[in-house]
Amino acid sequence: MVSGDRSLLLVVDMQARLVPVISGFEGILKKNEALLFACRNPDVPVVFTEQYPKGVRHTVPRLPGFASGASAYEKIHFNGIGEPEFVALLSRIGRRDVVVIRIEAHVSILQTSLGLRHLGYPVRLSVHSTGSRTELDKDTALKRTASAGTPAVTTEMVLVEWLRRLRGANLPCCCRAFANWSRQARCEACETTHGDVSRSSEFPTTA
């Protein structure tokens, strides 16, 4: 189970020059937005990494606004564990369950996930929020990480497991994130009509 009080959301290299060439990138961004919004409550720390932003540019502007107080780390290694400062940042945050979302599943996400596993972090790879330039690259990366002990999870799995129950302080953010992701006016988790949450002042617009 993915517990909100033990989780950290790692957003790897969702950068402006990489995203547009990824298969199905628009759908991937929407799933990322849902998870980032849900991190607000329960309080799930968020870390963004950026691979050589001078050349590949920074994280696409629409994502950081969903995660207030997120940490950012610039790296040059495809495997984030090759950066001692990055490893130290994760240690300071102190969350052991890492949920990873990103693009280029067969490059940085593969190497960083394997590196985190080597350091003893339980890692979950969100398949809805992950992509590559080709489906073959993505599928092969998912199979390789799974064989190394990194289970795949879906956006809904993470949201519902963070939610834990149908009452409590974490209910609004997780339910609105789920409703926005599924585009259902009535949230199945709490049976509340949230309306078009993508237009709500409580959910940042994705335009």
Side-chain angles (χ1 to χ4, degrees):
M1 295 285 286
V2 185
S3 173
D5 57 8
R6 296 195 307 268
S7 291
L8 176 148
L9 185 67
L10 180 60
V11 186
V12 182
D13 306 351
M14 294 293 295
Q15 291 163 261
R17 282 190 173 171
L18 293 176
V19 168
V21 300
I22 298 302
S23 175
F25 74 90
E26 185 60 37
I28 292 169
L29 287 176
K30 290 185 182 298
K31 308 305 184 294
N32 288 344
E33 290 163 359
L35 287 172
L36 286 166
F37 184 71
C39 285
R40 297 179 176 190
N41 199 345
D43 184 18
V44 176
V46 178
V47 175
F48 287 88
T49 69
E50 295 181 336
Q51 180 77 27
Y52 186 57
K54 182 179 179 180
V56 191
R57 298 184 182 174
H58 293 284
T59 301
V60 289
R62 61 193 272 185
L63 292 182
F66 284 83
S68 58
S71 301
Y73 187 81
E74 179 179 334
K75 65 186 180 71
I76 57 173
H77 291 83
F78 292 119
N79 185 348
I81 304 309
E83 312 274 352
E85 296 85 357
F86 175 69
V87 176
L89 172 63
L90 297 185
S91 180
R92 288 196 302 272
I93 293 173
R95 299 292 184 97
R96 297 298 299 176
D97 290 351
V98 182
V99 178
V100 182
I101 59 178
R102 73 142 286 141
I103 51 175
E104 291 289 67
H106 61 295
V107 186
S108 289
I109 195 167
L110 171 65
Q111 295 186 30
T112 300
S113 296
L114 295 176
L116 287 169
R117 286 285 302 167
H118 180 72
L119 292 181
Y121 284 88
V123 179
R124 278 85 169 182
L125 186 58
S126 176
V127 293
H128 282 136
S129 309
T130 301
S132 291
R133 301 185 191 214
T134 71
E135 290 301 314
L136 177 60
D137 281 330
K138 176 182 175 178
D139 291 345
T140 304
L142 291 174
K143 290 176 182 177
R144 185 175 174 190
T145 53
S147 68
T150 299
V153 293
T154 67
T155 303
E156 184 176 348
M157 286 180 188
V158 176
L159 291 177
V160 173
E161 290 175 28
W162 279 350
L163 182 64
R164 296 175 62 180
R165 60 195 181 104
L166 298 185
R167 293 291 182 269
N170 62 336
L171 184 65
C173 284
C174 282
C175 284
R176 283 176 173 79
F178 174 76
N180 184 75
W181 167 69
S182 63
R183 283 294 185 264
Q184 294 176 355
R186 190 169 182 81
C187 178
E188 294 179 354
C190 66
E191 298 185 351
T192 298
T193 301
H194 295 307
D196 186 353
V197 291
S198 66
R199 298 179 182 276
S200 168
S201 61
E202 300 180 42
F203 196 101
T205 61
T206 59

